[in-house]
Amino acid sequence: MSVTSQENDGVSQASEQSLTDEVLASFAGAASSRVRQIMESLVAHLHAFAREVRLTQSEWENGIEFLTRVGHITTDKRQEFILLSDVLGLSMLTVDINAPASAGATESTVFGPFYVADPPEIPLGGDIARGAKGTPCYVSGTVRSIDGTPLPHAQIDVWECDEDGLYDVQYRDGRSAGRGRLRAGDNGEYRFWSVRPVPYPVPDDGPVGDLIQAAGRSPMRAAHLHFKVDADGHRTLITHIFLAGDDYLARDAVFGVKQSLVVDYAEHPPGTVPDGTRLDRSWLSIEFDIVLAPGEEDHS
Ligand code: BEZ
Ligand code: FE
């Protein structure tokens, strides 16, 4: 490298840095110190990224065009920006920052886009499948606080896809299935019927799907059952259970798997089920105890 080009490199590095400094300084007057902190950090990292990869003009244009497509496909029913955050691991990182593993408490994972507020109430031991197709799956356990105290009447919302990998909100006929709300019993015990969760792809027919494909990644999520659990004086828990042995545990599209949430299950032939009635098809059972950390409930 000639002395002149070294000097030029030095000159352009200095001018890149002074641009970054100028943008950083532009947030000095922000009324909120948190806005200032976030914007300064975002700009510092964005500029460092562009410098590190020596971002070309056409790559910048591709990036803008990609984000424009993410915006255009987003509606009140489809949130492609959250999906983008999910597949980049930002959603899971935010979960880990805000719901850090608390000694002995059940770990949290991503919320996902398929929760419906105030799902249909089902009795203890009832069936949340409510017409969703799949192998019957009986789930039971207790809800406790980290000191072991049972949490009677904890509210448990559960939602899942059917055997075709579809949530009810993806059905064309608008019917509700594969979700429900139950209350734990007097000793924190809970039980319900559902269907065996199966792996399914995150919505991959949009720009985020193109990104996943360009990366040579799979759009599949490991099979799971979603839980949202609330009890007075305890932090709301948003989590899943995953099935041991699932093919996608190590390559979940949204990085949501935690080893502590992977559960063993038992497979049963047709016969008598826990409530003493008979079932003429094979079924599964899962035991999963839920431990909540003391704290503020999330009322959002
Ligand atoms: C889900 O588990 O329902 C989900 C999570 C993130 C993206 C898409 C789906
Ligand atoms: Fe899901």
Side-chain angles (χ1 to χ4, degrees):
M1 194 183 277
S2 71
V3 172
T4 320
S5 77
Q6 269 178 357
E7 277 168 3
N8 278 346
D9 279 357
V11 170
S12 67
Q13 272 173 25
S15 110
E16 285 169 15
Q17 188 55 52
S18 81
L19 171 67
T20 301
D21 292 344
E22 195 183 335
V23 182
L24 291 176
S26 75
F27 295 104
S32 153
S33 60
R34 182 66 174 157
V35 168
R36 176 178 171 178
Q37 181 192 17
I38 287 176
M39 291 314 299
E40 284 179 351
S41 180
L42 181 65
V43 166
H45 286 278
L46 266 182
H47 284 217
F49 149 75
R51 276 199 292 268
E52 183 182 316
V53 301
R54 304 312 301 164
L55 191 68
T56 67
Q57 196 67 35
S58 69
E59 287 163 346
W60 176 86
E61 279 165 18
N62 286 345
I64 296 292
E65 194 248 340
F66 174 80
L67 290 174
T68 305
R69 288 175 61 211
V70 171
H72 282 166
I73 205 170
T74 295
T75 64
D76 57 347
K77 299 231 158 39
R78 175 168 184 163
Q79 234 304 353
E80 196 81 354
F81 279 108
I82 295 183
L83 187 60
L84 178 59
S85 159
D86 292 341
V87 304
L88 294 180
L90 180 61
S91 308
M92 201 55 211
L93 181 60
T94 309
V95 167
D96 284 343
I97 291 168
N98 290 283
S102 167
T106 303
E107 292 194 276
S108 305
T109 188
V110 284
F111 201 34
F114 299 126
Y115 178 71
V116 171
D118 300 322
E121 300 204 6
I122 60 149
L124 191 58
D127 185 8
I128 68 121
R130 300 170 35 258
K133 286 181 296 170
T135 303
C137 177
Y138 184 77
V139 185
S140 61
T142 30
V143 188
R144 296 179 190 279
S145 189
I146 47 177
D147 66 0
T149 317
L151 295 173
H153 317 304
Q155 176 180 284
I156 306 171
D157 289 354
V158 188
W159 64 108
E160 64 164 344
C161 65
D162 64 16
E163 68 180 2
D164 297 323
L166 292 175
Y167 285 82
D168 58 356
V169 291
Q170 298 171 299
Y171 294 167
R172 288 171 192 277
D173 60 9
R175 95 195 119 95
S176 165
R179 65 181 71 245
R181 168 171 291 170
L182 62 145
R183 293 260 171 200
D186 293 344
N187 298 307
E189 76 283 9
Y190 77 89
R191 51 190 177 272
F192 61 88
W193 284 96
S194 59
V195 291
R196 179 189 185 126
V198 298
Y200 66 87
V202 298
D204 63 346
D205 56 346
V208 172
D210 294 345
L211 174 66
I212 291 172
Q213 201 186 10
R217 280 169 47 179
S218 158
M220 299 300 284
R221 291 224 57 204
H224 58 271
L225 197 58
H226 292 259
F227 282 76
K228 174 175 179 288
V229 187
D230 291 283
D232 286 346
H234 289 76
R235 255 183 17 211
T236 297
L237 171 70
I238 291 171
T239 197
H240 305 352
I241 49 179
F242 297 93
L243 300 189
D246 188 277
D247 283 347
Y248 295 98
L249 289 175
R251 50 193 174 117
D252 182 51
V254 304
F255 307 96
V257 178
K258 289 183 171 166
Q259 204 45 48
S260 69
L261 303 176
V262 178
V263 297
D264 284 321
Y265 57 91
E267 288 182 289
H268 307 273
T272 307
V273 298
D275 70 1
T277 59
R278 274 193 65 79
L279 189 63
D280 59 6
R281 50 185 301 198
S282 315
W283 55 288
L284 233 62
S285 63
I286 297 175
E287 280 177 35
F288 177 60
D289 288 337
I290 298 168
V291 182
L292 301 188
E296 286 285 300
E297 239 180 294
D298 172 4
H299 292 287
S300 59

mmCIF file of all heavy atoms in Angstrom, residues 255-289:
data_model
loop_
_atom_site.group_PDB
_atom_site.id
_atom_site.type_symbol
_atom_site.label_atom_id
_atom_site.label_comp_id
_atom_site.label_asym_id
_atom_site.label_seq_id
_atom_site.Cartn_x
_atom_site.Cartn_y
_atom_site.Cartn_z
ATOM 1 N N PHE A 255 -35.066 -19.682 17.897
ATOM 2 C CA PHE A 255 -34.099 -19.858 18.998
ATOM 3 C C PHE A 255 -34.787 -19.909 20.369
ATOM 4 O O PHE A 255 -34.249 -19.451 21.376
ATOM 5 C CB PHE A 255 -33.049 -18.723 18.969
ATOM 6 C CG PHE A 255 -32.398 -18.583 17.615
ATOM 7 C CD1 PHE A 255 -32.874 -17.654 16.689
ATOM 8 C CD2 PHE A 255 -31.354 -19.413 17.246
ATOM 9 C CE1 PHE A 255 -32.300 -17.550 15.428
ATOM 10 C CE2 PHE A 255 -30.768 -19.313 15.982
ATOM 11 C CZ PHE A 255 -31.249 -18.366 15.077
ATOM 12 N N GLY A 256 -36.022 -20.470 20.381
ATOM 13 C CA GLY A 256 -36.821 -20.427 21.602
ATOM 14 C C GLY A 256 -36.617 -21.596 22.562
ATOM 15 O O GLY A 256 -37.177 -21.593 23.658
ATOM 16 N N VAL A 257 -35.817 -22.591 22.153
ATOM 17 C CA VAL A 257 -35.734 -23.815 22.984
ATOM 18 C C VAL A 257 -34.782 -23.624 24.157
ATOM 19 O O VAL A 257 -33.674 -23.116 23.996
ATOM 20 C CB VAL A 257 -35.245 -25.019 22.132
ATOM 21 C CG1 VAL A 257 -35.119 -26.271 23.005
ATOM 22 C CG2 VAL A 257 -36.195 -25.270 20.976
ATOM 23 N N LYS A 258 -35.235 -24.014 25.338
ATOM 24 C CA LYS A 258 -34.351 -24.090 26.508
ATOM 25 C C LYS A 258 -34.438 -25.515 27.031
ATOM 26 O O LYS A 258 -35.545 -26.077 27.111
ATOM 27 C CB LYS A 258 -34.803 -23.100 27.581
ATOM 28 C CG LYS A 258 -34.529 -21.671 27.145
ATOM 29 C CD LYS A 258 -34.885 -20.676 28.193
ATOM 30 C CE LYS A 258 -34.372 -19.313 27.752
ATOM 31 N NZ LYS A 258 -34.955 -18.241 28.552
ATOM 32 N N GLN A 259 -33.294 -26.052 27.397
ATOM 33 C CA GLN A 259 -33.235 -27.457 27.786
ATOM 34 C C GLN A 259 -34.231 -27.772 28.905
ATOM 35 O O GLN A 259 -34.862 -28.828 28.922
ATOM 36 C CB GLN A 259 -31.803 -27.825 28.183
ATOM 37 C CG GLN A 259 -31.472 -29.298 28.057
ATOM 38 C CD GLN A 259 -31.965 -29.923 26.745
ATOM 39 O OE1 GLN A 259 -31.756 -29.374 25.658
ATOM 40 N NE2 GLN A 259 -32.655 -31.074 26.849
ATOM 41 N N SER A 260 -34.407 -26.826 29.851
ATOM 42 C CA SER A 260 -35.299 -27.097 30.992
ATOM 43 C C SER A 260 -36.763 -27.212 30.564
ATOM 44 O O SER A 260 -37.602 -27.663 31.343
ATOM 45 C CB SER A 260 -35.168 -25.995 32.042
ATOM 46 O OG SER A 260 -35.704 -24.788 31.535
ATOM 47 N N LEU A 261 -37.069 -26.767 29.345
ATOM 48 C CA LEU A 261 -38.462 -26.808 28.876
ATOM 49 C C LEU A 261 -38.744 -28.027 27.994
ATOM 50 O O LEU A 261 -39.852 -28.193 27.495
ATOM 51 C CB LEU A 261 -38.788 -25.521 28.097
ATOM 52 C CG LEU A 261 -38.578 -24.219 28.875
ATOM 53 C CD1 LEU A 261 -38.838 -23.006 27.980
ATOM 54 C CD2 LEU A 261 -39.501 -24.175 30.113
ATOM 55 N N VAL A 262 -37.718 -28.852 27.805
ATOM 56 C CA VAL A 262 -37.894 -30.061 26.982
ATOM 57 C C VAL A 262 -38.366 -31.176 27.902
ATOM 58 O O VAL A 262 -37.678 -31.509 28.876
ATOM 59 C CB VAL A 262 -36.569 -30.448 26.289
ATOM 60 C CG1 VAL A 262 -36.747 -31.725 25.474
ATOM 61 C CG2 VAL A 262 -36.071 -29.297 25.407
ATOM 62 N N VAL A 263 -39.557 -31.709 27.620
ATOM 63 C CA VAL A 263 -40.129 -32.697 28.541
ATOM 64 C C VAL A 263 -40.228 -34.074 27.893
ATOM 65 O O VAL A 263 -40.430 -34.197 26.685
ATOM 66 C CB VAL A 263 -41.542 -32.269 29.020
ATOM 67 C CG1 VAL A 263 -41.480 -30.984 29.813
ATOM 68 C CG2 VAL A 263 -42.523 -32.135 27.872
ATOM 69 N N ASP A 264 -40.079 -35.096 28.734
ATOM 70 C CA ASP A 264 -40.339 -36.467 28.293
ATOM 71 C C ASP A 264 -41.847 -36.660 28.247
ATOM 72 O O ASP A 264 -42.579 -35.974 28.955
ATOM 73 C CB ASP A 264 -39.742 -37.457 29.295
ATOM 74 C CG ASP A 264 -38.238 -37.551 29.134
ATOM 75 O OD1 ASP A 264 -37.771 -37.527 27.983
ATOM 76 O OD2 ASP A 264 -37.553 -37.618 30.172
ATOM 77 N N TYR A 265 -42.274 -37.586 27.455
ATOM 78 C CA TYR A 265 -43.708 -37.885 27.413
ATOM 79 C C TYR A 265 -43.863 -39.392 27.325
ATOM 80 O O TYR A 265 -42.915 -40.108 26.993
ATOM 81 C CB TYR A 265 -44.377 -37.186 26.216
ATOM 82 C CG TYR A 265 -43.775 -37.543 24.890
ATOM 83 C CD1 TYR A 265 -44.267 -38.604 24.142
ATOM 84 C CD2 TYR A 265 -42.689 -36.832 24.394
ATOM 85 C CE1 TYR A 265 -43.686 -38.942 22.927
ATOM 86 C CE2 TYR A 265 -42.109 -37.168 23.179
ATOM 87 C CZ TYR A 265 -42.612 -38.218 22.450
ATOM 88 O OH TYR A 265 -42.041 -38.565 21.258
ATOM 89 N N ALA A 266 -45.067 -39.850 27.650
ATOM 90 C CA ALA A 266 -45.340 -41.288 27.572
ATOM 91 C C ALA A 266 -46.375 -41.512 26.473
ATOM 92 O O ALA A 266 -47.298 -40.705 26.312
ATOM 93 C CB ALA A 266 -45.859 -41.787 28.911
ATOM 94 N N GLU A 267 -46.192 -42.599 25.715
ATOM 95 C CA GLU A 267 -47.170 -42.946 24.684
ATOM 96 C C GLU A 267 -48.003 -44.115 25.186
ATOM 97 O O GLU A 267 -47.444 -45.059 25.748
ATOM 98 C CB GLU A 267 -46.456 -43.309 23.385
ATOM 99 C CG GLU A 267 -45.860 -42.059 22.743
ATOM 100 C CD GLU A 267 -45.173 -42.335 21.417
ATOM 101 O OE1 GLU A 267 -44.100 -42.954 21.451
ATOM 102 O OE2 GLU A 267 -45.716 -41.924 20.370
ATOM 103 N N HIS A 268 -49.316 -44.037 25.020
ATOM 104 C CA HIS A 268 -50.212 -45.066 25.568
ATOM 105 C C HIS A 268 -51.070 -45.672 24.454
ATOM 106 O O HIS A 268 -51.533 -44.943 23.576
ATOM 107 C CB HIS A 268 -51.166 -44.449 26.606
ATOM 108 C CG HIS A 268 -50.468 -43.676 27.685
ATOM 109 N ND1 HIS A 268 -49.981 -44.260 28.834
ATOM 110 C CD2 HIS A 268 -50.153 -42.355 27.774
ATOM 111 C CE1 HIS A 268 -49.423 -43.344 29.600
ATOM 112 N NE2 HIS A 268 -49.509 -42.175 28.980
ATOM 113 N N PRO A 269 -51.319 -46.976 24.535
ATOM 114 C CA PRO A 269 -52.253 -47.597 23.586
ATOM 115 C C PRO A 269 -53.691 -47.214 23.968
ATOM 116 O O PRO A 269 -53.921 -46.689 25.060
ATOM 117 C CB PRO A 269 -52.012 -49.096 23.810
ATOM 118 C CG PRO A 269 -51.539 -49.194 25.224
ATOM 119 C CD PRO A 269 -50.812 -47.911 25.541
ATOM 120 N N PRO A 270 -54.650 -47.495 23.093
ATOM 121 C CA PRO A 270 -56.052 -47.247 23.462
ATOM 122 C C PRO A 270 -56.357 -47.939 24.795
ATOM 123 O O PRO A 270 -55.800 -48.995 25.086
ATOM 124 C CB PRO A 270 -56.842 -47.900 22.325
ATOM 125 C CG PRO A 270 -55.887 -47.954 21.173
ATOM 126 C CD PRO A 270 -54.510 -48.097 21.767
ATOM 127 N N GLY A 271 -57.202 -47.339 25.601
ATOM 128 C CA GLY A 271 -57.529 -47.954 26.902
ATOM 129 C C GLY A 271 -58.026 -46.906 27.873
ATOM 130 O O GLY A 271 -58.517 -45.849 27.480
ATOM 131 N N THR A 272 -57.843 -47.225 29.160
ATOM 132 C CA THR A 272 -58.373 -46.333 30.203
ATOM 133 C C THR A 272 -57.472 -45.109 30.375
ATOM 134 O O THR A 272 -56.253 -45.237 30.423
ATOM 135 C CB THR A 272 -58.466 -47.105 31.529
ATOM 136 O OG1 THR A 272 -59.206 -48.304 31.283
ATOM 137 C CG2 THR A 272 -59.180 -46.297 32.597
ATOM 138 N N VAL A 273 -58.085 -43.941 30.489
ATOM 139 C CA VAL A 273 -57.333 -42.691 30.632
ATOM 140 C C VAL A 273 -57.452 -42.208 32.080
ATOM 141 O O VAL A 273 -58.204 -42.790 32.878
ATOM 142 C CB VAL A 273 -57.826 -41.635 29.609
ATOM 143 C CG1 VAL A 273 -57.609 -42.126 28.185
ATOM 144 C CG2 VAL A 273 -59.277 -41.264 29.844
ATOM 145 N N PRO A 274 -56.699 -41.159 32.470
ATOM 146 C CA PRO A 274 -56.636 -40.785 33.894
ATOM 147 C C PRO A 274 -57.981 -40.550 34.575
ATOM 148 O O PRO A 274 -58.114 -40.789 35.779
ATOM 149 C CB PRO A 274 -55.794 -39.508 33.871
ATOM 150 C CG PRO A 274 -54.899 -39.679 32.692
ATOM 151 C CD PRO A 274 -55.723 -40.391 31.668
ATOM 152 N N ASP A 275 -59.004 -40.095 33.871
ATOM 153 C CA ASP A 275 -60.278 -39.867 34.585
ATOM 154 C C ASP A 275 -61.119 -41.137 34.641
ATOM 155 O O ASP A 275 -62.283 -41.103 35.053
ATOM 156 C CB ASP A 275 -61.063 -38.714 33.949
ATOM 157 C CG ASP A 275 -61.615 -39.075 32.584
ATOM 158 O OD1 ASP A 275 -61.407 -40.221 32.115
ATOM 159 O OD2 ASP A 275 -62.258 -38.205 31.966
ATOM 160 N N GLY A 276 -60.537 -42.284 34.212
ATOM 161 C CA GLY A 276 -61.242 -43.567 34.342
ATOM 162 C C GLY A 276 -62.080 -43.913 33.132
ATOM 163 O O GLY A 276 -62.601 -45.023 33.040
ATOM 164 N N THR A 277 -62.220 -42.978 32.188
ATOM 165 C CA THR A 277 -62.998 -43.307 30.982
ATOM 166 C C THR A 277 -62.093 -44.035 29.984
ATOM 167 O O THR A 277 -60.881 -44.113 30.181
ATOM 168 C CB THR A 277 -63.586 -42.027 30.329
ATOM 169 O OG1 THR A 277 -62.503 -41.160 30.005
ATOM 170 C CG2 THR A 277 -64.546 -41.313 31.265
ATOM 171 N N ARG A 278 -62.715 -44.550 28.903
ATOM 172 C CA ARG A 278 -61.922 -45.291 27.900
ATOM 173 C C ARG A 278 -61.707 -44.434 26.667
ATOM 174 O O ARG A 278 -62.562 -43.643 26.279
ATOM 175 C CB ARG A 278 -62.678 -46.567 27.494
ATOM 176 C CG ARG A 278 -62.410 -47.734 28.403
ATOM 177 C CD ARG A 278 -62.927 -49.030 27.775
ATOM 178 N NE ARG A 278 -62.228 -49.405 26.551
ATOM 179 C CZ ARG A 278 -61.039 -49.995 26.525
ATOM 180 N NH1 ARG A 278 -60.410 -50.288 27.645
ATOM 181 N NH2 ARG A 278 -60.485 -50.322 25.369
ATOM 182 N N LEU A 279 -60.541 -44.596 26.055
ATOM 183 C CA LEU A 279 -60.253 -43.882 24.806
ATOM 184 C C LEU A 279 -59.893 -44.957 23.794
ATOM 185 O O LEU A 279 -59.052 -45.822 24.078
ATOM 186 C CB LEU A 279 -59.072 -42.925 25.036
ATOM 187 C CG LEU A 279 -58.746 -41.927 23.936
ATOM 188 C CD1 LEU A 279 -59.918 -40.955 23.707
ATOM 189 C CD2 LEU A 279 -57.504 -41.109 24.317
ATOM 190 N N ASP A 280 -60.527 -44.926 22.606
ATOM 191 C CA ASP A 280 -60.285 -46.014 21.656
ATOM 192 C C ASP A 280 -59.182 -45.668 20.655
ATOM 193 O O ASP A 280 -59.140 -46.190 19.563
ATOM 194 C CB ASP A 280 -61.597 -46.383 20.938
ATOM 195 C CG ASP A 280 -62.176 -45.196 20.204
ATOM 196 O OD1 ASP A 280 -61.505 -44.146 20.172
ATOM 197 O OD2 ASP A 280 -63.302 -45.319 19.679
ATOM 198 N N ARG A 281 -58.320 -44.748 21.030
ATOM 199 C CA ARG A 281 -57.150 -44.466 20.175
ATOM 200 C C ARG A 281 -55.931 -44.207 21.046
ATOM 201 O O ARG A 281 -56.057 -43.980 22.252
ATOM 202 C CB ARG A 281 -57.428 -43.293 19.248
ATOM 203 C CG ARG A 281 -57.972 -42.061 19.920
ATOM 204 C CD ARG A 281 -58.333 -40.985 18.923
ATOM 205 N NE ARG A 281 -57.169 -40.600 18.145
ATOM 206 C CZ ARG A 281 -57.079 -39.471 17.454
ATOM 207 N NH1 ARG A 281 -58.090 -38.618 17.434
ATOM 208 N NH2 ARG A 281 -56.001 -39.190 16.779
ATOM 209 N N SER A 282 -54.735 -44.259 20.430
ATOM 210 C CA SER A 282 -53.513 -44.038 21.194
ATOM 211 C C SER A 282 -53.477 -42.601 21.681
ATOM 212 O O SER A 282 -54.053 -41.712 21.052
ATOM 213 C CB SER A 282 -52.277 -44.259 20.331
ATOM 214 O OG SER A 282 -52.409 -45.401 19.592
ATOM 215 N N TRP A 283 -52.774 -42.397 22.773
ATOM 216 C CA TRP A 283 -52.691 -41.041 23.326
ATOM 217 C C TRP A 283 -51.346 -40.853 24.006
ATOM 218 O O TRP A 283 -50.582 -41.804 24.175
ATOM 219 C CB TRP A 283 -53.855 -40.772 24.289
ATOM 220 C CG TRP A 283 -53.996 -41.762 25.412
ATOM 221 C CD1 TRP A 283 -54.435 -43.051 25.311
ATOM 222 C CD2 TRP A 283 -53.676 -41.549 26.788
ATOM 223 N NE1 TRP A 283 -54.416 -43.654 26.548
ATOM 224 C CE2 TRP A 283 -53.966 -42.750 27.468
ATOM 225 C CE3 TRP A 283 -53.212 -40.467 27.527
ATOM 226 C CZ2 TRP A 283 -53.783 -42.903 28.845
ATOM 227 C CZ3 TRP A 283 -53.036 -40.599 28.888
ATOM 228 C CH2 TRP A 283 -53.318 -41.818 29.537
ATOM 229 N N LEU A 284 -51.091 -39.623 24.380
ATOM 230 C CA LEU A 284 -49.799 -39.224 24.961
ATOM 231 C C LEU A 284 -50.058 -38.625 26.326
ATOM 232 O O LEU A 284 -51.122 -38.014 26.531
ATOM 233 C CB LEU A 284 -49.305 -38.074 24.113
ATOM 234 C CG LEU A 284 -47.944 -38.052 23.470
ATOM 235 C CD1 LEU A 284 -47.872 -39.216 22.501
ATOM 236 C CD2 LEU A 284 -47.771 -36.741 22.709
ATOM 237 N N SER A 285 -49.115 -38.724 27.234
ATOM 238 C CA SER A 285 -49.253 -37.934 28.465
ATOM 239 C C SER A 285 -47.938 -37.227 28.774
ATOM 240 O O SER A 285 -46.853 -37.748 28.483
ATOM 241 C CB SER A 285 -49.705 -38.811 29.631
ATOM 242 O OG SER A 285 -48.738 -39.780 29.920
ATOM 243 N N ILE A 286 -48.089 -36.052 29.349
ATOM 244 C CA ILE A 286 -46.937 -35.212 29.689
ATOM 245 C C ILE A 286 -47.150 -34.695 31.106
ATOM 246 O O ILE A 286 -48.253 -34.246 31.440
ATOM 247 C CB ILE A 286 -46.858 -33.976 28.751
ATOM 248 C CG1 ILE A 286 -46.651 -34.399 27.301
ATOM 249 C CG2 ILE A 286 -45.756 -33.018 29.200
ATOM 250 C CD1 ILE A 286 -46.676 -33.246 26.303
ATOM 251 N N GLU A 287 -46.105 -34.752 31.919
ATOM 252 C CA GLU A 287 -46.184 -34.102 33.240
ATOM 253 C C GLU A 287 -45.250 -32.915 33.231
ATOM 254 O O GLU A 287 -44.085 -33.034 32.829
ATOM 255 C CB GLU A 287 -45.764 -35.081 34.333
ATOM 256 C CG GLU A 287 -46.893 -36.025 34.669
ATOM 257 C CD GLU A 287 -46.488 -37.051 35.705
ATOM 258 O OE1 GLU A 287 -45.696 -36.704 36.606
ATOM 259 O OE2 GLU A 287 -46.942 -38.197 35.581
ATOM 260 N N PHE A 288 -45.776 -31.787 33.659
ATOM 261 C CA PHE A 288 -44.975 -30.555 33.609
ATOM 262 C C PHE A 288 -45.363 -29.686 34.800
ATOM 263 O O PHE A 288 -46.470 -29.155 34.865
ATOM 264 C CB PHE A 288 -45.276 -29.827 32.284
ATOM 265 C CG PHE A 288 -44.578 -28.508 32.118
ATOM 266 C CD1 PHE A 288 -43.192 -28.424 32.137
ATOM 267 C CD2 PHE A 288 -45.311 -27.345 31.919
ATOM 268 C CE1 PHE A 288 -42.546 -27.201 31.959
ATOM 269 C CE2 PHE A 288 -44.675 -26.121 31.733
ATOM 270 C CZ PHE A 288 -43.294 -26.059 31.757
ATOM 271 N N ASP A 289 -44.452 -29.568 35.762
ATOM 272 C CA ASP A 289 -44.706 -28.695 36.910
ATOM 273 C C ASP A 289 -44.255 -27.285 36.562
ATOM 274 O O ASP A 289 -43.233 -27.094 35.891
ATOM 275 C CB ASP A 289 -43.953 -29.207 38.142
ATOM 276 C CG ASP A 289 -44.603 -30.479 38.686
ATOM 277 O OD1 ASP A 289 -45.811 -30.687 38.421
ATOM 278 O OD2 ASP A 289 -43.903 -31.274 39.342
#
